[in-house]
Each structure stands twice: as structure tokens, then as C-alpha cells.
Amino acid sequence: MNARGLRVDIEGLGLRYGQADVLVDIDLHIEAGERLCLVGPNGAGKSSILRCLTGLTEPTAGTIALDGELLAGIDRSAVAQAISVVPSQVDLPFSMRVEEVVRLGRIPHENPFTGATAEDHAAVDIAIARVGIDKLRGRDVRQLSMGERQLVLVAMAVAQGGRLIVLDEPTVHLDLRHQVEVLELLGRLSDDGLTVLAVLHDLPLAAHFFPRLVLLDEGRLVADGAPSSVLSPERISEVYEVDPRFVPALA
């Protein structure tokens, strides 16, 4: 695959809803091909960073740059081609086969008048093979397990061809086997050169599968670095307000 990941530079990012500060002076620099995870308690600002990064929410302060180009000046279609977003889960209102869902990832590339090209169909085939879900072809996505559905959504993101893959709680509602499958897949995509940015609540999984963690609390960046340094017992106690012994994999 040997894709070239996207570099992200976030400086002084702020976000306010009414009188509430959701993000405060966030500085975050992500190298091309890096794999990192945002962690922190509910309301820490993790998903808000993703929404600002993907252009869904306009920040009230600061800048976001993709490969040195300010996000605010990039065409929306170009952003959609550069950043692939994997939702936690999707409820489909009607029947769709696996390959039809994966093909949705090609929408940012398709000509609205001529439709899918041979290149689009090839991208879908490559994504399905890359994620390892060939055996699911032809199946109705609504009839798949939660773990299988999540792999289909990751394949959709791979087919999209973004150089940055953004995932908000990709392992929620999954059993342990499927959690590991999804996170191992993200590791392989990162090894191939893609930049991977995820949000996880499960601290042991985050610490095991991501070489870099960014800890947030009340909209502020608390720590950034290797899991062993970011998730120290003192920080677990201070940020999560629990005894670190309740997180045995980190104790």
C-alpha cells in the first residue's frame, strides 16, 4: 500500500458553546503516518477536536493545518478526499450489501454525472481485501454482528482513500475479539503509512495499541506522550478521580 499519511498541526484551538469553553488553547502536532489516541473522561473535548479537524465544527479560536495548508482555506471536497471518518456505528434504514456500503467511501471521488469508474470499483475491492472481509461480500450489513459491521465501516474509510483516518470510539459495543481485530487493523494501516487518530475510553486498549496518547480533561490538554508516562497513577487519580488500582492493566 505504502500510502503517505497526512500531517496535522493544531495550534491554539479553542471552542465555545454559549458561555461554556469546550476546548481551551489546544496545541497538537501529528506527524504523517503517526498513530495516536485521544483519551480522557466524558466531556474532556476529545470528540470536539475530531469535529473541528474534519470541518464539522468551526472553532472559535486557533488554527488547523493539513500538510501546512490551513483547513479553513481547503475546499470541502478536498477535505473529504484527504480525511476518512469512521463512525462508531451506523444504523441502516434499509438493506445494503457489504460492498455497497464500502462503495459509499468513494462518493467524494465520484463524478456526479458519470458515476463510479473502474478506479472506484478497484478501490472498493482493494479495501475489502485489505480489511479482510471478502467472506462478507453479498451479505446484508444489517444482518452482520456489531464487530463485522465495524470492519465494514473501516473498509469504507479505506476505500475513501484518505491519508488520515479518524475514528470516534471504534470499539464501542464490540466484544474483546472484535475490539482487538479493529485495533490491530489500525496498526497495519499505520504501518502502511496512513495517519491514524482515534478516540477511546478503554485505557488498557489505548495503551496497548497506540504508541502515543493525548490526555484531555475539561477541554485542556493534560499530557502528551508514551502511554506509560501519560497514564501515570497520579494522572489517573487526578483526571479520572478513581483509584488507579481499578485499571489493573495500568497498575
Side-chain angles (χ1 to χ4, degrees):
M1 190 172 178
N2 295 321
R4 184 171 67 87
L6 193 68
R7 176 179 169 82
V8 178
D9 293 290
I10 298 174
E11 297 185 353
L13 188 68
L15 180 63
R16 171 174 285 194
Y17 292 139
Q19 298 301 311
D21 286 317
V22 179
L23 297 173
V24 180
D25 199 25
I26 300 292
D27 288 333
L28 181 60
H29 301 278
I30 307 171
E31 296 295 334
E34 195 171 9
R35 182 170 82 255
L36 73 157
C37 184
L38 306 180
V39 297
N42 289 334
K46 305 180 297 296
S47 296
S48 295
I49 289 178
L50 298 192
R51 287 195 295 271
C52 290
L53 174 58
T54 55
L56 295 178
T57 299
E58 185 175 351
T60 52
T63 61
I64 299 175
L66 306 179
D67 276 354
E69 185 175 358
L70 289 178
L71 177 64
I74 303 176
D75 181 78
R76 289 301 306 158
S77 62
V79 173
Q81 292 179 18
I83 302 177
S84 298
V85 179
V86 180
S88 56
Q89 285 292 337
V90 172
D91 292 323
L92 296 174
F94 48 82
S95 175
M96 288 187 73
R97 289 177 292 127
V98 166
E99 55 269 34
E100 292 174 328
V101 173
V102 176
R103 183 181 158 186
L104 293 177
R106 299 302 300 170
I107 290 177
H109 302 271
E110 286 186 8
N111 185 308
F113 300 105
T114 60
T117 64
E119 181 180 356
D120 294 318
H121 290 298
V124 170
D125 292 338
I126 291 171
I128 288 175
R130 184 71 186 86
V131 177
I133 55 172
D134 285 282
K135 64 182 180 180
L136 300 181
R137 278 182 176 273
R139 297 273 304 276
D140 183 344
V141 173
R142 297 179 303 172
Q143 297 176 354
L144 302 179
S145 71
M146 298 292 277
E148 291 169 332
R149 289 187 194 184
Q150 195 63 11
L151 290 174
V152 171
L153 295 178
V154 174
M156 181 179 69
V158 172
Q160 187 174 333
R163 294 160 51 212
L164 165 65
I165 295 185
V166 173
L167 310 96
D168 195 352
E169 287 295 332
T171 60
V172 68
H173 304 314
L174 303 188
D175 61 28
L176 182 58
R177 179 173 70 86
H178 284 105
Q179 288 178 340
V180 171
E181 281 185 1
V182 169
L183 295 175
E184 285 182 336
L185 172 60
L186 297 182
R188 294 195 297 271
L189 294 175
S190 176
D191 290 341
D192 284 341
L194 296 179
T195 306
V196 176
L197 174 62
V199 165
L200 285 182
H201 274 295
D202 191 307
L203 297 183
L205 283 178
H208 182 80
F209 285 99
F210 290 86
R212 178 184 172 192
L213 301 184
V214 173
L215 177 62
L216 299 162
D217 186 31
E218 297 183 345
R220 290 173 169 81
L221 197 155
V222 176
D224 181 352
S228 58
S229 64
V230 170
L231 297 178
S232 65
E234 294 78 16
R235 287 206 181 96
I236 295 295
S237 177
E238 178 183 352
V239 173
Y240 287 91
E241 299 181 345
V242 298
D243 190 321
R245 290 176 298 176
F246 290 122
V247 192
L250 301 175

